[in-house]
Amino acid sequence: LHPPLFTVYGLAQGLSWEWITSVSESPNGELWVGTDGYGLNRLRGDVIRPASEEAAITPLHVMTALADRQGQVWLATRQGSLYQWKDNGAARLADSPTNSSLVRSLFEDSQGTLWVGRFNTDRLLRLQNGTVGSLELPKSAGLLDVRVMAEDAGGGLWIGTDGSGLFHWQEGQFTQFSRETGLSSDLVWALRPEADGTLWIGTYGGGLTRLRNGHTATCTTRHGLVDDVICYIADDGRGQYWLSSHQGIFRVSKNELNQFADGAIGSIHCVSYGKSDGLPTRECKGGYQPAGCRGLDGRLWFPTLGGVAVIDPADAS
């Protein structure tokens, strides 16, 4: 017998709905939780409640919610609308050209620019200094389903898609990576860039791929990975990656992953967590961004189909 490592916030704790799509933290430590059913929730301290009274009774399918560095909260709904949360209410951005296209991803870069990734789109929306603009994606790629974005140490933007692989944009130029060039899958759901230029790529069905200096190496369940569906990759700051998946949450040593990718070892060891560790379900939510976050206090937050789960990595060492 052992106490559960994870704490879960669900209906019993005050959450408006348990199908969680995204989780993000404000600079003041408040946590914002998007639900696929009954709107936005806010966690203050240990108390979680709907962000407004209407959210508790009005169906609102939040696909993604992001708190930026200024403390502003952005959210997008299944209907394709983009909102900014103001004064306990959601104000729709009337000049946002979403065209009712489903928003999958919200990402803020180091310059404070908000990037909006959508389904079936030929461009990224860009909100900068109160102005809405766009970045046109390569015409040769056709319409894309943008699921995740990340910024590397050189200021380049990585764009993960569902079905068209990975794109890198820097200095006005795009480079595409796909199965033909070494990716394990063209369904990219999670990205974790490192300061040395390494990029870890979590996929749907293809496991985890390391991209370094143009070379790829892939780790799957055949090599010790718990699941080949990777929803989110968190760095705990203690030398471990924590990955959410459809088979629970698991952690693995970053050093061990790099040794495997370098060919020094043939397999890896993961520590897996499930219901016996306090998770309400093994299935975590993925395919939207942000699909998890590391809080200011170092705790890791993960969206699941049974509420939002949190763990202090120090408790698992």
Side-chain angles (χ1 to χ4, degrees), residues 148-227:
V148 62
M149 291 173 279
E151 182 181 11
D152 59 30
L157 182 68
W158 291 95
I159 306 159
T161 72
D162 201 54
S164 302
L166 180 68
F167 293 83
H168 184 233
W169 178 69
Q170 190 162 28
E171 298 178 353
Q173 299 294 322
F174 280 99
T175 306
Q176 184 177 6
F177 300 85
S178 66
R179 291 188 65 181
E180 294 179 356
T181 56
L183 279 189
S184 60
S185 170
D186 286 331
L187 309 173
V188 177
W189 276 21
L191 296 171
R192 174 62 57 180
E194 291 285 359
D196 64 358
T198 298
L199 180 70
W200 290 97
I201 306 159
T203 70
Y204 181 90
L208 186 66
T209 295
R210 187 187 76 173
L211 176 60
R212 177 186 285 177
N213 299 325
H215 300 286
T216 59
T218 295
C219 183
T220 68
T221 51
R222 299 193 306 273
H223 312 108
L225 213 61
V226 172
D227 192 15

Side-chain angles (χ1 to χ4, degrees), residues 1-316:
L1 296 176
H2 62 85
L5 289 171
F6 287 84
T7 299
V8 177
Y9 294 87
L11 291 174
Q13 289 72 38
L15 195 69
S16 63
W17 192 241
E18 292 186 337
W19 290 3
I20 310 303
T21 51
S22 65
V23 56
S24 180
E25 188 183 46
S26 289
N28 63 3
E30 287 184 341
L31 206 77
W32 296 84
V33 181
T35 71
D36 189 2
Y38 284 89
L40 191 65
N41 292 255
R42 176 163 52 189
L43 177 67
R44 290 175 172 171
D46 286 327
V47 180
I48 192 164
R49 292 287 184 272
S52 71
E53 292 302 322
E54 290 183 3
I57 57 175
T58 305
L60 181 62
H61 299 272
V62 175
M63 294 294 93
T64 173
L66 174 71
D68 66 19
R69 293 182 183 87
Q70 305 302 316
Q72 300 179 98
V73 180
W74 307 86
L75 64 146
T77 67
R78 189 178 287 279
Q79 290 71 32
S81 300
L82 184 63
Y83 295 87
Q84 185 178 7
W85 191 263
K86 291 183 178 179
D87 302 323
N88 296 320
R92 188 175 184 272
L93 296 187
D95 58 347
S96 173
T98 58
N99 297 323
S100 298
S101 181
L102 179 64
V103 174
R104 306 275 203 186
S105 173
L106 293 174
F107 171 71
E108 184 186 17
D109 67 17
S110 60
Q111 304 303 310
T113 299
L114 181 71
W115 296 89
V116 182
R118 299 175 293 164
F119 168 73
N120 208 31
T121 184
D122 63 353
R123 64 195 61 239
L124 298 177
L125 296 186
R126 177 168 50 188
L127 279 69
Q128 192 172 27
N129 300 321
T131 303
V132 179
S134 65
L135 171 65
E136 188 172 344
L137 296 168
K139 285 186 171 61
S140 59
L143 297 178
L144 300 176
D145 183 0
V146 178
R147 296 296 186 111
V148 62
M149 291 173 279
E151 182 181 11
D152 59 30
L157 182 68
W158 291 95
I159 306 159
T161 72
D162 201 54
S164 302
L166 180 68
F167 293 83
H168 184 233
W169 178 69
Q170 190 162 28
E171 298 178 353
Q173 299 294 322
F174 280 99
T175 306
Q176 184 177 6
F177 300 85
S178 66
R179 291 188 65 181
E180 294 179 356
T181 56
L183 279 189
S184 60
S185 170
D186 286 331
L187 309 173
V188 177
W189 276 21
L191 296 171
R192 174 62 57 180
E194 291 285 359
D196 64 358
T198 298
L199 180 70
W200 290 97
I201 306 159
T203 70
Y204 181 90
L208 186 66
T209 295
R210 187 187 76 173
L211 176 60
R212 177 186 285 177
N213 299 325
H215 300 286
T216 59
T218 295
C219 183
T220 68
T221 51
R222 299 193 306 273
H223 312 108
L225 213 61
V226 172
D227 192 15
D228 286 333
V229 175
I230 308 299
C231 300
Y232 176 66
I233 308 168
D235 187 337
D236 67 2
R238 305 166 65 90
Q240 302 274 321
Y241 276 148
W242 292 70
L243 298 91
S244 61
S245 73
H246 285 180
Q247 295 296 324
I249 294 169
F250 58 98
R251 64 181 170 94
V252 60
S253 162
K254 292 167 61 176
N255 182 54
E256 196 170 325
L257 276 174
N258 278 307
Q259 285 184 319
F260 172 82
D262 289 338
I265 57 177
S267 63
I268 61 166
H269 171 70
C270 295
V271 179
S272 180
Y273 302 97
K275 287 188 175 183
S276 64
D277 301 291
L279 290 178
T281 173
R282 293 175 65 88
E283 186 170 351
C284 295
K285 194 71 173 177
Y288 302 96
Q289 185 187 22
C293 73
R294 179 183 174 192
L296 297 172
D297 59 5
R299 291 190 295 170
L300 307 178
W301 297 83
F302 301 94
T304 79
L305 293 183
V308 59
V310 58
I311 187 171
D312 187 340
D315 293 339

